[in-house]
Amino acid sequence: MKRAIAILLAATALVGAGPGKVDMAARILPAAAVPGAAVKPYVKVAGGKVALVHVRVIDGTGAAAQEDRTVLIDGGRIVAVQAGGDAVPGGYAPIDGTGKSVMPGIVGMHDHQYYIARPNLDAAGHSEPPLMVPQMAFSSPRMYLAAGVTTLRTTGSVEPYTDLNMKAAIDAGTLPGPHMDVTGPYLEGSGSPFLQMHPLRDAEDARRTVAFWAEQGVTSFKAYMNITRAELAAAIDEAHRRGIKLTGHLCSVSYPEAAALGIDNLEHGFWVNTQLDPGKTPDQCSRDNGLATLAAMAPDSAAAKALIGLLVERHVALTSTLPVFEGSSPNYHTLPPRQLALMTPEARTDYFYVRTRVATRRPEAVAPGARLWANELGLERAFVAAGGLLLAGPDPTGGGQVLPGFGDQRAIELLVEAGFSPVEAIRIGTLNGATYLGLAERIGTIAPGKNADLVLVEGDPSRNIADIERVVTVFKDGVGYDPVPLLGSVTGRYGQY
């Protein structure tokens, strides 16, 4: 009888128990695997005991660079950071870092693994429906790793099983690529132009969708433009029950509404907030998609101060995605040849269609874009000054305007254009992302005990942020990868697979 009562009590407790919380560190940063046959051609430093000697250390905290240091790596972890003149312990293979800098691996917080294809796009910008979203499971992870991205969040998936399986293969050492926080399928309402997205029917559908994909192994979620407040509230509640965070590229729901519902993160900085858009109705995307709000929200305005205060109070992080909006900048320039060479001929053609249209805008169309750009830069500075957590990512979405990996570098460079110092911008692109993910004890800075996820570059990004592009070696879990063969393997392929 006592045993039967005990069983009944245990069963009763299970009925009311929620799902277990996700161990993010174990999911996103599992134990390192030995690189397999398909990965070895891209390995420059096999791991083990390595000493980066006489190297400049930019540690990711925002502190000034440390000159002439030696970083000791053993077993995929940073063992010590010592003076460059100190003796290197026995057994360590030295790598001369003279004239070079080492910084933490980039933590890309808006890094898709797909390409948006617009059928029959022409020079006038016309294309035929539907928008298609082919997965770049071969090229994207190699491009990210080659550029120094050692951890990323997919921030919206159209093929979540592909992303999950890609992550599993990378973690097993059978494919090259970064650590991945896999986001579930877009939580989208009705009216999306993307055929590959599931339109939520109601709040219960949103809850079930989050529950299902959490069980499949995703570690974050993203709400999209046409979601309703009820659907968003249900998704946030279910995600939080499981210890998973939820971000959003919103339109139908304004930033203040999303903050009130408990959202963790908002994508695209202040670019897609619709709270001041004329004619905005609840649960409906506005005609202006947030541009009217951004144009009206000067960084020193009362509306901006109130919104920033609310976001900081509610601990809502913002993801800066400046590269995808750089077409509005007066300083926007054509992508360099080394990036253009990675695209398929069709992707390059699409890119130049878009680039030409931007370059040939009438003068009266340039000024509004420049105002949006200036407001965005100022609002991001004001958000950080108020204590907000700013993350960084490029949103590489197709047409070639923003490429995986290179866009992550550009995101950090544009933060310097926004007014942050180079070391502050590097912190936003490394430690801040790790902090949001709950992984700051493992990645994001250079310190003893941390994972040896590092980027060795020529020059000094603490003085000239463009040196962030001069990648020599990318260390992930203490294994050094060579960007040259990684990029060589995808030349002419981005946009195809």
Side-chain angles (χ1 to χ4, degrees), residues 48-51 71-74 79 88-94:
K49 292 187 174 183
V50 177
V71 179
L72 301 179
I73 302 169
D74 184 10
V79 174
V88 175
Y92 281 82

Side-chain angles (χ1 to χ4, degrees), residues 383-425:
F383 177 71
V384 172
L389 183 66
L390 188 67
L391 318 174
D395 192 15
T397 51
Q401 183 180 0
V402 182
L403 271 62
F406 294 98
D408 294 86
Q409 296 169 346
R410 187 64 181 153
I412 295 173
E413 292 172 357
L414 289 173
L415 288 169
V416 175
E417 182 177 319
F420 297 100
S421 72
V423 292
E424 289 171 336

